[in-house]
Structures are given as C-alpha cells and as structure tokens.
Amino acid sequence: MAFICPLRYAMAIDQRRCIGCHSCSVACRTWNDLPMDIIYNPVLGGVVEGEWPNVHRNYVPTLCMHCKNPECVPCCPTGASQQDDDGVVWVDSKICMGCKVCVNACPYGMRDTSHMVRRFDEYVRKCTFCKDRVRQGLQNYCVQTCHQKARIFGDLDDPNSEVSKLVGKYDCERTFEDLGTEPMVFYIKELGGKA
C-alpha cells in the first residue's frame, strides 16, 4: 500500500473528556519500549476549578506540539532533528550527537535527554506522533488507548476529518501560540466532565 501524505497532521485534546487516567502515557511507553523514567506525553495537573459544590478537575495531556514552524529543527547542527512533509517532527537517532541544542530551542520542554549518560544511547528522544503506525493507516497508540476519546488525530487540512471539524467548531487554544511556532496540538479547554 502506497503512503499518501496528508497535508498536515494535528491532534485535538478535548479536556472536557480527559479524566487523568494516564492510559495515553502508558500506551506510549509500551509502544516505544521506553524506560520507566521517560514519558513522551505526560498528563499534567489535575487543576481544580470552580466553587463548591460545582468543582471540576482539569488535566492537561501534553506531548511534542509538532509545530508547523518548529524551533528545534533549524538549529540542529547535524540535521538529526527533522520535519517531514506531513508535519511530523522527529529525531534521527543515527545522526544525533546529543548536543541538546534542540532541547534548549523547544519552548515546550518535550524532548528527553535523561538517558544520554550511557554512550550507546546518546540521542534526544521525543514523541513522533507514532509516524510508523499512522503511515500504515493505524491510529496513534495514545489516541487508540484513550477510552474517554479525549485525543483526536488526523489531517487538519482535510475538512472531513474529525480533528479538522473539532478545531473548526470549538474555540481551541494552542500552547505558547504567540511564539509563532504554530503548534499542531489544539486544546478544547472547557471544564471537565461536560462532554
């Protein structure tokens, strides 16, 4: 089956649905065979909002933002930090020299260097939007595993895709949008428990 490149991959995270179960983090760690102390997509917070008795707890699932204009790619001296035509930002471990320039350039803190102390493993790690699965027509593991359907992935430029419809329907927010990186992770930021 030939790979047909969509114009722009994106993810919407519906915070109304996220219950902070961390299934996405566990699925990602399993699929990528990560050590226990590496998490590509941590779920932050559990921020409590509202007043008693109308109290809600909101969680913030995070991951690499796969920016349209990533700061981490042009600064890489070896070209290990790359962006494909479909928008996926990834690191080629074979040519990464572990200089951490991309780590410092990323405003989202989503690149991991915790295992760079061992010589055989000196490369920067990060979420790849499960590009190996997605390009086979499969869903990202974090999306597939989310039983609350809080993560939605697809081609943002396809008006018929679920992610495109959600981003068009809701007043979504993107993290550090003012930096001009154009992150491709969109948050539907209403109080939890309403979806």
Side-chain angles (χ1 to χ4, degrees):
M1 181 173 123
F3 169 64
I4 300 171
C5 180
L7 296 176
R8 177 65 48 181
Y9 281 135
M11 185 176 290
I13 297 180
D14 191 342
Q15 288 184 268
R16 301 168 305 167
R17 293 182 172 272
C18 181
I19 61 170
C21 69
H22 299 271
S23 292
C24 52
S25 301
V26 173
C28 175
R29 179 180 288 144
T30 302
W31 174 252
N32 291 292
D33 194 24
L34 298 175
M36 290 302 289
D37 58 340
I38 294 181
I39 300 174
Y40 287 168
N41 58 356
V43 178
L44 306 177
V47 177
V48 177
E49 296 181 13
E51 294 182 19
W52 180 261
N54 300 312
V55 179
H56 301 274
R57 183 173 291 249
N58 281 352
Y59 295 91
V60 183
T62 62
L63 66 155
C64 170
M65 299 292 153
H66 294 277
C67 304
K68 189 173 183 179
N69 304 312
E71 295 285 333
C72 57
V73 172
C75 70
C76 179
T78 65
S81 195
Q82 301 180 24
Q83 182 175 39
D84 292 341
D85 291 339
D86 55 18
V88 173
V89 177
W90 60 287
V91 176
D92 185 341
S93 62
K94 294 180 195 83
I95 59 176
C96 176
M97 66 180 186
C99 69
K100 302 182 186 178
V101 171
C102 64
V103 174
N104 292 326
C106 174
Y108 305 100
M110 289 292 120
R111 288 174 171 245
D112 191 280
T113 59
S114 62
H115 280 255
M116 291 178 65
V117 293
R118 297 191 313 243
R119 182 72 193 132
F120 67 88
D121 206 11
E122 289 189 1
Y123 64 92
V124 174
R125 301 171 186 242
K126 62 173 291 303
C127 161
T128 64
F129 263 167
C130 290
K131 69 180 189 151
D132 49 342
R133 289 179 54 83
V134 168
R135 292 175 182 167
Q136 294 175 37
L138 302 171
Q139 192 58 269
N140 326 60
Y141 249 104
C142 63
V143 173
Q144 178 181 318
T145 309
C146 182
H147 49 78
Q148 297 299 313
K149 300 189 185 324
R151 289 176 178 248
I152 301 91
F153 179 82
D155 180 2
L156 187 63
D157 291 337
D158 176 1
N160 295 316
S161 73
E162 188 178 359
V163 72
S164 182
K165 289 176 182 176
L166 284 171
V167 169
K169 179 178 179 181
Y170 293 100
D171 184 21
C172 297
E173 292 182 16
R174 296 189 281 180
T175 308
F176 302 144
E177 196 169 0
D178 57 325
L179 297 178
T181 57
E182 293 192 56
M184 290 293 111
V185 176
F186 298 81
Y187 290 91
I188 300 172
K189 299 196 60 99
E190 293 184 21
L191 286 175
K194 288 186 172 182

